[in-house]
Structure formats: C-alpha cells, structure tokens
Amino acid sequence: MTEDENNSCALVLTGGGARAAYQVGVLKAISECFPRGQAIPFPILSGTSAGAINATALACYASCFHLGVRKLEYVWRHLKTDDVLRLQLSKVISHSLKSLLCGIIGKPSQIALPLFDNSPLERLLEKVIDFPRIDNNLLYGALEVLAITASNYNTGDSTTFYQGRPYHQPWARAGRSGRSAIIAPPHLMASSALPFIFKPCLLQNHHYGDGSIHQINPLSPAIHLGAKRILIISLGPDDVDSDTLPSDPSSSDIAGHLLDTIFTDALTSDIERLQRINNTIKLVPERKREQLALRHIDNLVLKPSKNLDELTHKHFHKLPYNIRALLRLFGVNAGDATGLASFLLFEKDYCRELIDLGYQDTQARLDEVCKFLNVPTK
C-alpha cells in the first residue's frame, strides 16, 4: 500500500446504542495484527451515534492504535446503564398530564419530553475522552480527519462536523453538508440523541438529533474527506426468516424494527450503491476517470454473525428496575426481548458478550481483513 493509499483508508462506525460494544471487539482483533505503538491504520474516522463516540475515542489515541482500543474496551467492559442514561418517569408522567390538559382546554401542546435523561453520558464523555489529543494527533500526522454526523431538526439535513487538516473543505449536497468544527462533547451528544429517547442538542442555534435519522448516505462523509478504501463495521442483523416474525407484532417489535431501519437500511443501500458505481467505473477509460474525478473505492463490511436482539434475553433482568418496568409497557419481557432492549442494555455483561462476539467474528475473517489492510497475517 502506498503512503497516499494509507492516508486515505477510512473506518466507518455506525450507530446502535449498546450494540456498539460489538465494534470494540472487531477493533481489538484488528489491532492485534499491528505492532504495539503503531498509529491507527484508519486516518479517516467517520462515526454516527454510538459509533461517533467510538470513533472519537480512537481519534484521541490515533498515535497508538493498541492503546486506543485498550482504553475503549476498558470503558465498555465496565459500563453500567446508570453511566449512560436515567429514566425520568415522574417528569414524563407530569409532562403527559400537562399536555393532556392543554389539549382539553385548547392551549398549544408543550414540546416533546424525552423518556431518558442522558446527562450521565455527557459526564462520562468528559471524563474518559481527552478531546485536546485530537488536535495533537492531527498536528503530528497520526490522524487525517475525524467526522461526526448529526441530524439537523431545523433544516432536515444530515450535517457532518469534521475536525481535520486545513486542506479539507466544507461541502454541501442535497440533504447533507459538511462543516469544519472542533469536536467536543455537544457534537457527540447531538449525534447520539435518539428521537423521543434523548433530548435534542443545541449547536450554533440549531437543534440536532441522532445522526442516523437523516443520513441516507452513510458513506458520504468518508468519501468527501478523501477515502479510497473504507472498512465498515455494521451492527445490523442478518436477514431474518419471515416465518420467525410474530404474526401480531407488539409495540416493542415495531419500535425495534424502526430502530433497525434507522441504523441499518440506509447503510445497506449505500454499500450496494457504492458497489454499482465501482462496477460502472471499471468500464470508464482511465483518462476519462481523471477528467470526471471518478475513483474506485474499495470496501469491506464486517457485521455480526448472530442476531444481537437474541443476546438480550439472558441480560434483560440486569437493567435497572424502572427501565424494565417501562419496557414491559411496550411489550418487552426477558423471554422475548427485542431490538428496543438491545439498544438500551448498557450493562457490562451484555457489552462483554458483544465485544467477544466481535472479536471472534473478526478472527474468523482475519485473513480477509489483513489482505484488505495490506498487513501480513501472523
């Protein structure tokens, strides 16, 4: 791999709440292919939602891939739900009653109140992520650019905030744009703020929510920032046999499918689109490609070998009691826990199982991964 190709290798991390622990296992397996003390093999980091948090943590330790992954793994392996969110049930009930009263007497309804308070997550980010290190890694060449995507509720656009070297330029396309920024906790809070679950985040007089909502082209930020090779860690489940789906889906089933749609459908479509474009580019003469600024982009997708929903069954009881009670209102029980629970199960035993699964899945494809990254297998 040439130096230019090495500087243009990107890692794309998608969202998925607690499921993002799987990404850590994948990264752990990949890190073992490299010598200790080596810089991250993905100078272009692009993340959305929980994937944005993992990407930022890696950016802070871009000069030492092993150390960054080790620190990230430690946090996920010791995580508790209370470290990320709290249920504000009394506020929800009070707000609902006030909204009902406003409707009865004809007054405008109040703004939507999220189910969960995510201020613990903000405190955790400030504690474990050393944001000034990002600029240091950019300055000394260990990192090319970090991109974090959020959804702009005011404009309906997908906005990517990027912190990179000076030659990276902002962009604007239909429904999406890129803006230079100094990445800080508010950007991560905005990117991971699921609608109705967490409150929107105010940035530069605009309200932002989870980056997956309006992100119809998840690979776009990495491509705009110069990626020629993209490794994608998807958290989407494998295809489910329609015979296994419930004939009468509960509210939880529907909520789980909606979350899966937000986090995985756009990525799947974008990967298919990229592959079609690559096949088309092969038919274009080399000189014409240069004139049209077309380039082939290699990509490799890593995804779970098991349906992550099914792994929640034995861990459901470890959620705080009030959250379990709320989920039961949506039809979620320990025996039939679905996608909705898997997004909120920030408990160390569940996260450790996902890390181990990610590690095992990547070990099983290690030759393919090493070939893609042009590193010798052990």
Side-chain angles (χ1 to χ4, degrees):
M1 186 185 299
T2 66
E3 182 178 352
D4 179 63
E5 288 174 328
N6 184 55
N7 290 336
S8 59
C9 187
L11 175 67
V12 172
L13 300 178
T14 62
R19 296 178 178 191
Y22 178 86
Q23 297 170 348
V24 180
V26 174
L27 293 168
K28 180 181 179 181
I30 294 175
S31 71
E32 293 178 355
C33 299
F34 293 86
R36 293 186 180 276
Q38 181 165 324
I40 189 172
F42 315 103
I44 300 173
L45 293 170
S46 178
T48 303
S49 195
I53 296 173
N54 286 343
T56 303
L58 288 176
C60 292
Y61 293 92
S63 60
C64 184
F65 188 28
H66 276 265
L67 180 60
V69 173
R70 194 160 62 245
K71 285 182 173 291
L72 192 58
E73 182 184 9
Y74 179 85
V75 173
W76 279 98
R77 282 191 176 273
H78 295 84
L79 204 59
K80 302 188 301 293
T81 301
D82 291 339
D83 294 330
V84 179
L85 56 89
R86 290 181 307 197
L87 177 62
Q88 41 191 15
L89 189 57
S90 60
K91 290 185 178 180
V92 171
I93 295 174
S94 175
H95 182 274
S96 300
L97 291 175
K98 290 179 180 178
S99 296
L100 179 61
L101 181 60
C102 287
I104 293 174
I105 63 178
K107 287 186 177 181
S109 60
Q110 300 176 348
I111 61 172
L113 184 72
L115 287 173
F116 297 97
D117 171 21
N118 59 349
S119 59
L121 173 60
E122 187 168 17
R123 290 193 293 271
L124 178 65
L125 295 177
E126 293 172 347
K127 178 181 178 182
V128 302
I129 298 183
D130 189 358
F131 289 90
R133 291 180 64 102
I134 299 174
D135 212 32
N136 292 337
N137 287 320
L138 288 168
L139 180 63
Y140 293 108
L143 180 67
E144 182 72 20
V145 62
L146 168 66
I148 304 301
T149 300
S151 297
N152 190 322
Y153 285 144
N154 295 87
T155 65
D157 291 342
S158 175
T159 303
T160 298
F161 299 97
Y162 67 88
Q163 184 174 350
R165 298 187 184 181
Y167 46 77
H168 290 293
Q169 296 297 314
W171 67 87
R173 298 290 187 273
R176 62 188 191 274
S177 63
R179 301 181 186 178
S180 178
I182 302 299
I183 302 300
H187 297 95
L188 301 186
M189 297 300 293
S191 182
S192 59
L194 272 172
F196 302 109
I197 303 296
F198 299 128
K199 65 181 180 180
C201 188
L202 185 63
L203 285 172
Q204 300 174 347
N205 296 320
H206 281 209
H207 289 89
Y208 290 89
D210 194 285
S212 301
I213 300 171
H214 293 137
Q215 194 177 40
I216 59 175
N217 301 105
L219 303 182
S220 173
I223 295 172
H224 273 292
L225 294 168
K228 295 181 180 178
R229 305 164 62 81
I230 304 177
L231 180 69
I232 306 151
I233 305 180
S234 172
L235 303 175
D238 292 328
D239 294 335
V240 180
D241 188 342
S242 59
D243 292 337
T244 65
L245 296 176
S247 56
D248 297 313
S250 66
S251 298
S252 172
D253 294 323
I254 296 171
H257 286 300
L258 284 175
L259 288 173
D260 280 334
T261 297
I262 290 174
F263 286 117
T264 63
D265 284 9
L267 177 63
T268 301
S269 298
D270 211 21
I271 292 171
E272 291 179 352
R273 186 182 303 111
L274 177 62
Q275 292 171 344
R276 288 198 302 270
I277 292 174
N278 281 342
N279 291 333
T280 302
I281 289 176
K282 291 179 182 178
L283 304 176
V284 179
E286 188 70 31
R287 184 179 301 177
K288 196 68 174 178
R289 295 184 204 175
E290 295 177 358
Q291 293 174 351
L292 298 174
L294 296 174
R295 68 178 187 271
H296 183 279
I297 299 175
D298 293 327
N299 64 93
L300 178 64
V301 183
L302 301 176
K303 63 188 302 185
S305 60
K306 297 180 181 179
N307 191 319
L308 302 186
D309 292 355
E310 297 176 358
L311 302 183
T312 63
H313 297 177
K314 59 185 176 183
H315 300 290
F316 182 75
H317 68 281
K318 296 167 187 173
L319 278 168
Y321 174 78
N322 56 356
I323 295 180
R324 277 183 283 140
L326 176 65
L327 290 176
R328 287 192 178 103
L329 293 177
F330 289 93
V332 180
N333 293 296
D336 58 357
T338 60
L340 184 58
S342 70
F343 286 94
L344 301 176
L345 231 167
F346 293 97
E347 292 294 329
K348 61 182 181 181
D349 290 338
Y350 176 64
C351 293
R352 289 174 180 181
E353 185 169 358
L354 294 188
I355 291 172
D356 293 341
L357 177 63
Y359 182 84
Q360 294 162 9
D361 287 349
T362 308
Q363 284 288 331
R365 299 180 61 184
L366 201 58
D367 288 345
E368 185 181 1
V369 173
C370 288
K371 182 179 180 181
F372 181 80
L373 297 176
N374 198 28
V375 295
T377 56
K378 293 184 178 181

